[in-house]
Structure formats: structure tokens, C-alpha cells
Amino acid sequence: MMGPAHSLSGAAAWLGVGALATGMGHTMPWPVLVTGALICAGAALAPDLDHKSATISRAFGPISRGLCEIIDRLSAAVYKATRGKGDPRRNGGHRTLTHTWVWAVLIGAGSSAAAVIGGRWAVLALLFIHMVLAVEGLLWRQARVSSDVLVWLLGAAGAWILAGILDEPGNGAGWLFTQPGQEYLWLGLPIILGALVHDIGDALTVSGCPILWPIPIGRRRWYPVGPPKAMRFKAGSWVEIKVLMPAFMLLGGIGGVAALNLV
């Protein structure tokens, strides 16, 4: 799928988690609901860091472009080292390592560790990165005609404001993980969810997605999981734009209302 659809699906997924939490009697504080939805929307773009034309690869200028080159080479090397007898030879690393459950868990766990160990500045950095990506994904038309600096300033302002709100007692800094020193440990959860939602979205397209690596399927470790080919679509096709994106917006709205216990 394309960036806007990925971001919408990420936001909708976290709002759905909020609705589920409310239904189970553990209402999510509204700052966690909003911040988590934005983080998840941004994180849903992150697996495409292995593709030089992707939104995330262009979002932070030469820094993200350089990181994209590194991730692409790393992904290609891991693919080559671990491919099964049935996996085809390939040169690039797109839709390999960063499109697996292993990567999603590692990135999420690493983010949680960074938030706990690094303190406020690490939290602000994580929020800034994902706020910028959320703007790029959810407001892609406006972001495309704006300067990168303007988007970065918007991301920085959003990160600072949200961190300040979350730090207030009862607003969610210590949500879910309540022991002293575990503030913001939950930040890795929307990051994991965003990456997995991205992978599921890509699995619906023609190429499929090797989300289950390194679990072998037949003679392949990089099996492109997906529905029957007749049910798949091309990225950017009318199915994605006319059907899935409106569905994500509708489901996200329903999830948000339910999460806030307004129904």
C-alpha cells in the first residue's frame, strides 16, 4: 500500500486498541489514545525505510536517505544469508527484513528501552520522529507542498506539547506499566502495532509480504504471505483509495468514539 493508506490503517488500529481496552474496563487516558494513534500512524510508514522513494526515506533529508541506504544493504545481506532453497535470488532489500514480525518487535522493544533509559529527551526524539511521519502520512497533500522545515517544526511542536500533557498526573506517562521508572515504557506498543499493520497491508497487495520470517513455509523462509491472488490489488489502485482508505477512516472514527466511552 501507499503511505497515506498505511498511516490511516495505523491510526485506526490504535484507536481500535483503545476501544478494546475500554470494553475490557481499562479505559485508556485520552492523551495516550491520541498520542498512540499518531505514533502508530507514523510507525506504519517505517518499514519502507528500505526503499529510497518511500515517504520515510525522504522525510528527514540526508539523514533518512543515508539510513535508507544502510537498511537496504542490511536487508539484502540478511535475505541472502537466510534465504531458503525455494526463495529466489534478488539484489535489493525492499520488503524483506523490515517487513517481518521480528523487525517490528525489535524496533518496538528498542524504542521502549530508549524511552526508559534515555529519559525525557529520548521520549521527545521518539515523539518528534513519529509526529513528522504522521504529518507526512495523514496530511500528505499539505506536506507535499510544504517545506521540510515546516513539517519538522510542526512535528517538534507536537512532540513538545504531547510530552507536556502526558507528564501531567493521570494523563498516561505511566499507563499500563505503573512501577517507578517505567514511565513511557508503553511507547513501543504503537510502534510495534504500526509496523505489523504496515506488513498486513502490504500482504494484501500483489507482491505479498514475508511477515512470518524466519518461520519456514515449504522450501521458503521469505514466503510472501497474502490472500488468494484474486483478492490482491496493486499498491495505489482504486481499491486502496476508494475502498480501504474510507474504511480506515470510518473504523478509526468508530474506534475513537468507543475508546472515549462516548457510546
Side-chain angles (χ1 to χ4, degrees):
M1 291 197 300
M2 305 299 285
H6 279 310
S7 284
L8 281 173
S9 67
W14 185 258
L15 293 171
V17 169
L20 179 62
T22 296
M24 296 175 65
H26 300 285
T27 301
M28 189 181 292
W30 73 263
V32 174
L33 183 70
V34 172
T35 303
L38 291 171
I39 291 174
C40 205
L45 297 179
D48 277 343
L49 188 57
D50 60 3
H51 194 295
K52 64 181 181 180
S53 297
T55 300
I56 185 174
S57 301
R58 297 179 280 104
F60 300 96
I63 295 176
S64 54
R65 287 195 294 270
L67 187 57
C68 170
E69 184 71 23
I70 294 171
I71 295 298
D72 181 45
R73 292 184 180 183
L74 172 63
S75 298
V78 172
Y79 179 88
K80 182 178 180 180
T82 64
R83 71 185 184 91
K85 294 182 178 179
D87 291 313
R89 295 181 181 275
R90 56 181 299 167
N91 294 320
H94 181 50
R95 282 205 187 185
T96 55
L97 180 61
T98 61
H99 287 68
T100 66
W101 70 271
V102 175
W103 179 269
V105 171
L106 288 176
I107 292 299
S111 297
S112 289
V116 172
I117 297 172
R120 180 173 178 79
W121 289 108
V123 170
L124 286 171
L126 288 170
L127 289 175
F128 167 70
I129 291 169
H130 290 90
M131 291 307 106
V132 169
L133 293 177
V135 171
E136 292 279 4
L138 297 175
L139 302 176
W140 64 278
R141 290 184 186 277
Q142 292 80 4
R144 184 169 292 179
V145 298
S146 301
S147 69
D148 288 340
V149 174
L150 182 60
V151 174
W152 298 341
L153 288 174
L154 182 58
W160 189 268
I161 292 170
L162 288 173
I165 294 173
L166 287 166
D167 280 339
E168 293 294 323
N171 276 1
W175 175 72
L176 195 59
F177 303 97
T178 58
Q179 296 301 313
Q182 293 183 345
E183 291 82 7
Y184 293 109
L185 188 60
W186 62 270
L187 281 183
L189 298 179
I191 293 174
I192 293 174
L193 181 61
L196 292 177
V197 168
H198 177 110
D199 296 343
I200 294 170
D202 277 355
L204 300 176
T205 64
V206 174
S207 300
C209 183
I211 186 173
L212 296 179
W213 177 87
I215 300 171
I217 299 178
R219 299 171 64 245
R220 305 184 67 172
R221 287 191 179 275
W222 296 92
Y223 186 85
V225 175
K229 290 187 177 181
M231 299 176 61
R232 302 186 189 191
F233 57 88
K234 291 184 178 180
S237 70
W238 67 271
V239 175
E240 179 179 332
I241 297 171
K242 301 294 185 179
V243 178
L244 292 182
M245 289 179 66
F248 293 148
M249 287 188 278
L250 177 62
L251 291 173
I254 294 173
V257 169
L260 294 172
N261 212 16
L262 298 177
V263 292

